[in-house]
Amino acid sequence: GAMDVMRDNMRNMAERDSQLHDLEGKSTSLHSVSGAFSQQATRLRKEQQWQRCRTYLVSAAIVLGLVWLIVLYFMKGHRKQFALTSAAALTFLVPIARCIIRRWKGDESSELLGPGSAHGQDMPLD
């Protein structure tokens, strides 16, 4: 009678509670996995951007080096002055380029840490 219905209701309620807890655990797990995937995708995208940038920089350096050699060849009477001027320009440009590259790569690492990283809450994935 009424006691059997009540027992069935209690059993169903316990099963539903168990299923809800299981679903909550799976949801939390999925949230963690999706966050890790997002961080890894961001890191991979930044690494690919850096590889492309590095390729462009190397290509530009080769082209500039060839242009410099051609100009040097045609500067017959002023080669020493041209070489000294080029060396002086490089002493200023190389540190500036290194600073820009460090700053760009530094921005990359700070974006990988996640929203709570400034407070030490999140850890970057390797």
Side-chain angles (χ1 to χ4, degrees):
M3 291 297 279
D4 291 335
V5 170
M6 190 182 302
R7 283 189 200 117
D8 287 341
N9 285 342
M10 295 291 281
R11 188 176 25 253
N12 288 339
M13 193 169 64
E15 287 176 12
R16 220 173 277 132
D17 187 52
S18 173
Q19 290 172 348
L20 284 174
H21 284 293
D22 186 42
L23 186 59
E24 183 180 10
K26 288 179 181 178
S27 174
T28 302
S29 175
L30 181 60
H31 180 71
S32 297
V33 169
S34 69
F37 177 80
S38 176
Q39 287 179 339
Q40 289 174 345
T42 300
R43 181 173 48 99
L44 181 62
R45 182 178 52 83
K46 292 288 187 176
E47 286 175 6
Q48 288 175 339
Q49 283 178 341
W50 174 240
Q51 291 295 331
R52 271 195 307 274
C53 181
R54 205 166 68 176
T55 301
Y56 293 144
L57 290 174
V58 168
S59 300
I62 290 171
V63 169
L64 288 174
L66 290 174
V67 169
W68 185 84
L69 286 173
I70 292 169
V71 171
L72 182 66
Y73 176 76
F74 289 109
M75 300 282 291
K76 295 190 189 247
H78 305 285
R79 285 184 180 160
K80 186 175 182 179
Q81 183 180 5
F82 180 70
L84 288 174
T85 304
S86 298
L90 280 178
T91 60
F92 288 109
L93 293 177
V94 168
I96 291 171
R98 284 184 178 167
C99 180
I100 290 170
I101 290 170
R102 280 188 196 137
R103 179 168 284 163
W104 190 80
K105 288 181 82 175
D107 289 344
E108 170 187 331
S109 64
S110 67
E111 289 179 13
L112 294 176
L113 297 179
S117 62
H119 307 293
Q121 296 171 348
D122 290 345
M123 298 295 288
L125 295 174
D126 291 334

